[in-house]
Amino acid sequence: MDLKSYNFKNKRALIRVDFNVPIDNNGNVTDNTRIKMAIPTLEKILNDGGSIVLMSHLGRPNDEPNKEFSLSQIIPSLESLLEKKIIFCSDCVSDESFKTTKNLENGSVVLLENLRFHKEEKNGDKDFAQKLSNHGDVYVNDAFGTSHRAHSSTSLIANYFPNDKMFGLLIEKEISCVDKVLNSNLHPLTAIVGGAKVSSKITIILNLLDKVDHLIIGGGMAYTFIKAQNGLIGKSLVEDQYLDLALEILKKAADKDVKIHLPTDSLCCKEFSNDLEYNIRTIDLIPNDEMGLDIGPDSIKIFNNIIVNSSLILWNGPMGVFEMSNFQNGTISVANSIVEATKNKAFSLVGGGDSVAAINLFNMADKVSHVSTGGGAMLEYLEGKELPGLHAIRN
Ligand code: AMP
């Protein structure tokens, strides 16, 4: 079943959205991207003449009501983006909330309070899911960011809508973008992986080896690969327990004719600090008392050349400690190369926590093809796992 062709007239659409947005100490939404991206689905339903009940989680409230995590804080942001008054229910399964949603007028939009004020949400509780299902006639999952969780509102609830369940427009777009990268015949396909640890990205790297032509590895994780090949990495970040696996990955890549590109040089500092001098070092000749905190100019040149000549690009994880100004350049340069490739008609997908934070920091989000809203979900999808939230709709 597909949202675009479904007619929502006189229907109450119960939508799982991902309104888990950052909120400051004064209760203001500091980044409304996730709310903005949910709007097309809501507009389609309202234009058809239906009504909407929105459910989401916000933060980690420890299974009980907590003002700090109240979704009421996002109402001004939602109202201004949707240009509509929102009806708020201060508990997602209270009698009051069911009274409100039972006879909803077409065109109305209800927002339920944070689902995670009830422990049953995360526990994946059948009864809780069934209760929630009474809020709507049709279930729409548009929360890509939580689709890797088998929670009541993301997965179990779909059982109560055997004939009326579908993806929202945002999830559809997210899936089609990742599928485009994973299943396309366009080449060269380049994946750029960075960030702190090899351990958190191993399954992705292994899965990508079957698809990509080039794999660029930067960030802290690169040093484990350099040390595995007997390079001298000084005090750089390393996971000694993954040295053998790093060698195995290099061998697998060679067997599959995937070109792995590690940095050739590195910006090195005596401490993890933005205030000290730093030196450019050859990547495998870092002095004992220094650590690599960003890729160097030679690596940037090599990576840029590969990226701008790619047709498909996937980027996950920064090239260095981009939070410190001295060590941003590698990540900015890679982002610039991706933007340049995108201008030259490449399809570029940026996903996973910190690369999204970086691309937003550099104001480049609208210059790549797609920035994924789902950090963990996107990573698990790239690992080749079937996500419970997607499975629940498809089956
Ligand atoms: P991840 O969450 O695994 O994608 O890692 C992101 C984090 O990796 C960011 O906070 C970066 O500051 C950090 N990072 C990137 N490169 C390095 C490096 N060379 N040394 C230490 N941390 C790094």
Side-chain angles (χ1 to χ4, degrees), residues 194-197 200-201 218-221 223 236-237 272 291-294 316-323 352-355:
K197 292 187 173 170
S200 60
K201 308 266 163 92
M221 70 168 69
Y223 301 97
S236 304
L237 203 64
F272 191 82
M291 62 180 83
L293 296 176
D294 195 7
N316 178 287
M319 295 292 101
V321 185
F322 73 99
E323 298 93 336
D354 274 313
S355 31

Side-chain angles (χ1 to χ4, degrees), residues 165 167 386-395:
K165 55 179 182 175
F167 291 127
E386 183 163 43
L387 311 187
L390 307 190
H391 180 83
I393 298 284
R394 285 176 176 152
N395 294 280

